[in-house]
Amino acid sequence: MTDRTTLEKPPSPPARSRRAALAGAMFLMATSAIGPGFITQTTVFTAKLGAAFAFAILVSVLADIAIQLNVWRVVGVSGMRAQELGNRVLPGAGYGLAALDVFGGLVFNIGNVAGTALGLNALLGLDVKLGGALSALVAIAVFLSRRAGVAMDRIVIVLGAAMILLTLYVAFVSEPPLGDALRQSVAPETVDFLVITTLIGGTVGGYITYAGAHRMIESGLTGADNVREINRSAVTGILVTGLMRVLLFLAVLGVVAGGVTLAKENPPSSAFQHAAGGAGLRLFGVIMWAAAITSVIGASYTSVSFLVSFSTFVERHRNRLVVAFIAVSAAIYLLIGTAPAKLLVLAGALNGMILPFGLGVLLWAAGRRRDLLGGYRYPVWLLALGAAAWLLSLYLGWNALSDLDDLWK
């Protein structure tokens, strides 16, 4: 008997359902990237580089587009998840990719739950343990609904739009130096390549790389006939992420350009409070909670999507497993407060391996295994773009692995 809460997988969705599914996949990718770490990174780097951070944002967005165009194209045309392609290209590779993704997703999901707690604390003054528990229940409710796929698509779209609009307001009231930011987006006074690679890893690293693409194929939107829609959705998803990054950058830039020194213990909260007073602190709470709860949903959904290929039991009970994934993440957070620093270092290193490993498998399938893509002739220019992105991902992965030295200090 089929689990009634299993995400629907229709063979040929009608046009309206197709648009809704693509919008959901696009926003799932975008909101999975826009998490607590995204907000903190953007704030800290803006305070460090000032208007020159605009250049780092531009370069990272272009690299993200190159990566996601290839991931969505290969997964979408083949109709197979990344781990399925991995096992077809190299037996066992899919299992390895799944193991890396699930472990990294679990550890970072603990941080996502912590982010929801911080958001509700800033918004309502709730105790962080209570806020984390309540937020986990909200995420669990999404996957207990009868139409879990539709519920997930709607909540990430609504909360994603809310984050953008609220951050736009704060960016407006903070009065950033727009001319300077625009000029330095192409002629920066300072270039920090470590910042650029950190942004790329945070936007398309780990489970985030596959969040939207897996949701897309599980909605039935696959095959070469849908390439145009696949491309548009991949690019738009990254642009949504980039838009949020730009707005957050401008909001913080307006504050630091005015000579304000942000509080070290919580730079984003400090920036929003300086920009809009007490209301700014509440807005920060809403934005942080929305970013964190959608990341909880995205991390949990995508991590379990890496397991469904290996067992019919997992496929039948996948939403219950997503619920269990969220519950375990929340339980660990409630027990230890947040993920231990050394565990986060290990998970970050493993996530750094996921991008070059997984992208390499997909590019091999695109260039050497046309049979896996139904005979589809993969564009040479896109393959070359993907190869360049893969070389960059190797550099990102090497940097992540070098952080493992911290485990032994």
Side-chain angles (χ1 to χ4, degrees), residues 18-193:
R18 181 194 306 268
R19 289 193 297 270
L22 280 174
M26 177 186 73
F27 270 90
L28 183 66
M29 176 181 71
T31 55
S32 292
I34 305 170
F38 177 101
I39 293 174
T40 302
Q41 271 184 1
T42 304
T43 304
V44 170
F45 290 152
T46 301
K48 176 184 178 181
L49 298 177
F53 185 46
F55 176 76
I57 294 175
L58 177 61
V59 173
S60 67
V61 167
L62 293 176
D64 294 341
I65 289 174
I67 291 169
Q68 287 291 8
L69 272 177
N70 278 281
V71 171
W72 281 56
R73 178 77 68 99
V74 177
V75 170
V77 172
S78 69
M80 289 184 277
R81 304 176 185 91
Q83 71 273 17
E84 295 166 357
L85 283 165
N87 279 341
R88 296 286 292 275
V89 169
L90 178 65
Y95 294 112
L97 184 60
L100 290 172
D101 192 280
V102 172
F103 176 76
L106 177 63
V107 175
F108 280 103
N109 213 31
I110 301 167
N112 292 334
V113 174
T116 65
L118 291 176
L120 289 183
N121 179 262
L123 177 62
L124 303 172
L126 284 183
D127 174 79
V128 289
K129 294 293 181 71
L130 178 60
L134 290 176
S135 299
L137 290 176
V138 171
I140 285 172
V142 170
F143 291 98
L144 289 180
S145 63
R146 290 177 62 89
R147 301 184 65 194
V150 174
M152 180 177 67
D153 291 343
R154 288 177 179 172
I155 194 169
V156 296
I157 291 172
V158 170
L159 291 180
M163 282 190 287
I164 290 172
L165 292 174
L166 293 176
T167 309
L168 173 62
Y169 168 74
V170 179
F172 177 79
V173 299
S174 74
E175 299 181 345
L178 293 176
D180 192 26
L182 184 61
R183 177 180 62 82
Q184 295 207 49
S185 66
V186 293
E189 295 176 357
T190 303
V191 177
D192 191 323
F193 289 103

Side-chain angles (χ1 to χ4, degrees), residues 227-241:
V227 161
R228 181 174 296 181
E229 291 173 295
I230 291 169
N231 286 346
R232 186 186 304 119
S233 298
V235 173
T236 305
I238 286 296
L239 292 181
V240 168
T241 308

Side-chain angles (χ1 to χ4, degrees), residues 75 86 106 130 159-160 239 242 258 266 269 300 302-303 313 341 367 373:
V75 170
L106 177 63
L130 178 60
L159 291 180
L239 292 181
N266 195 340
S269 173
S300 304
T302 308
S303 295
F313 174 86
L373 277 65

Side-chain angles (χ1 to χ4, degrees), residues 114-372:
T116 65
L118 291 176
L120 289 183
N121 179 262
L123 177 62
L124 303 172
L126 284 183
D127 174 79
V128 289
K129 294 293 181 71
L130 178 60
L134 290 176
S135 299
L137 290 176
V138 171
I140 285 172
V142 170
F143 291 98
L144 289 180
S145 63
R146 290 177 62 89
R147 301 184 65 194
V150 174
M152 180 177 67
D153 291 343
R154 288 177 179 172
I155 194 169
V156 296
I157 291 172
V158 170
L159 291 180
M163 282 190 287
I164 290 172
L165 292 174
L166 293 176
T167 309
L168 173 62
Y169 168 74
V170 179
F172 177 79
V173 299
S174 74
E175 299 181 345
L178 293 176
D180 192 26
L182 184 61
R183 177 180 62 82
Q184 295 207 49
S185 66
V186 293
E189 295 176 357
T190 303
V191 177
D192 191 323
F193 289 103
L194 180 58
V195 167
I196 294 172
T197 56
T198 302
L199 292 186
I200 295 170
T203 308
V204 292
Y207 69 87
I208 300 169
T209 313
Y210 308 101
H214 280 194
R215 177 62 185 132
M216 174 185 64
I217 67 168
E218 289 171 0
S219 301
L221 298 169
T222 61
D225 292 342
N226 292 314
V227 161
R228 181 174 296 181
E229 291 173 295
I230 291 169
N231 286 346
R232 186 186 304 119
S233 298
V235 173
T236 305
I238 286 296
L239 292 181
V240 168
T241 308
L243 175 61
M244 181 64 185
R245 180 91 71 184
V246 168
L247 293 176
L248 186 56
F249 155 66
L250 292 176
V252 177
L253 181 63
V255 173
V256 298
V260 173
T261 300
L262 303 181
K264 291 184 179 180
E265 62 273 10
N266 195 340
S269 173
S270 174
F272 275 65
Q273 192 165 14
H274 279 291
L281 181 61
R282 301 291 181 267
L283 289 176
F284 164 76
V286 175
I287 293 168
M288 175 61 87
W289 184 82
I293 194 69
T294 51
S295 292
V296 168
I297 291 170
S300 304
Y301 166 81
T302 308
S303 295
V304 173
S305 78
F306 271 87
L307 302 175
V308 296
S309 309
F310 308 138
S311 167
T312 56
F313 174 86
V314 174
E315 179 64 53
R316 289 198 307 270
H317 301 283
R318 60 177 301 159
N319 282 4
R320 293 190 177 99
L321 290 174
V322 175
V323 167
F325 193 91
I326 297 171
V328 170
S329 303
I332 295 174
Y333 164 73
L334 294 174
L335 286 173
I336 64 177
T338 185
K342 289 188 176 182
L343 194 57
L344 280 172
V345 171
L346 177 58
L350 294 178
N351 271 0
M353 294 169 59
I354 291 175
L355 182 55
F357 182 27
L359 183 59
V361 166
L362 297 186
L363 292 176
W364 184 266
R368 307 290 294 181
R369 292 293 304 274
R370 286 180 58 189
D371 58 304
L372 299 179

